[in-house]
Structures are given as structure tokens and as C-alpha cells.
Amino acid sequence: MADTNELGTALTQLLNEPEPPRGPRCTVGSVLDDLDADTAAKFRIVLDNPAVTATRIADTLTSSGHRVQAPAVARHRRRGGSNGCRCPR
């Protein structure tokens, strides 16, 4: 018979240890981390404005030296959802 104490300990560890991140870091999140506080705040306002398309945001970032594609912007906007990035909401 299997050792249930050992299994119980292993299951407790699964609950107490955070899941390691999967996949690459969010491109938009990386850009936000690199910006000064004022620019990052303005960028967050633009990201939260649905009237500004992901394509326009990506084009602006790319022309400023940050290689970001529109799908990455759209995924970041869905952060916290099942089809969004891992950045905190």
C-alpha cells in the first residue's frame, strides 16, 4: 500500500507553492516595466481606452523603439481572462 502521509505532504505543497510562470513574459508588461512612472501611467490610460485600437498602440510603440505587435496589445488588454496574458489586472 502507498504511503498516504507522503502523498498528503506532496498535495499540501501543491497548494502552498505558486505555479511557476509558463511561456514568455508579456511584451506589453515588459514595456510598462521599462517606462518612467509618468509615461507608464499615460500608457495605461491609453490601454484602457477601447477607442484606441491595438494596432495603433502597437504602431506607436514600434515607432518609439519597442517591438510590439497588435495581438500582444490585445492579449494584454484581456489580462486576467482565460485568453489574456499573465500580467495582473
Side-chain angles (χ1 to χ4, degrees):
M1 177 165 246
D3 182 2
T4 57
N5 288 332
E6 199 172 303
L7 176 59
T9 301
L11 292 171
T12 300
Q13 285 178 330
L14 287 176
L15 293 172
N16 295 331
E17 295 176 6
E19 186 73 23
R22 291 175 284 173
R25 171 101 164 86
C26 171
T27 310
V28 175
S30 295
V31 171
L32 279 165
D33 289 345
D34 291 343
L35 298 174
D36 62 82
D38 290 338
T39 307
K42 190 176 290 187
F43 185 23
R44 285 185 179 92
I45 291 169
V46 170
L47 283 168
D48 290 340
N49 183 343
V52 183
T53 66
T55 300
R56 286 182 60 207
I57 294 170
D59 289 346
T60 300
L61 291 171
T62 300
S63 68
S64 298
H66 303 281
R67 294 189 63 200
V68 177
Q69 296 181 347
V73 174
R75 187 172 42 255
H76 184 79
R77 285 178 154 175
R78 296 187 307 266
R79 63 197 178 279
S82 62
N83 60 345
C85 73
R86 294 187 321 248
C87 291
R89 189 79 181 137

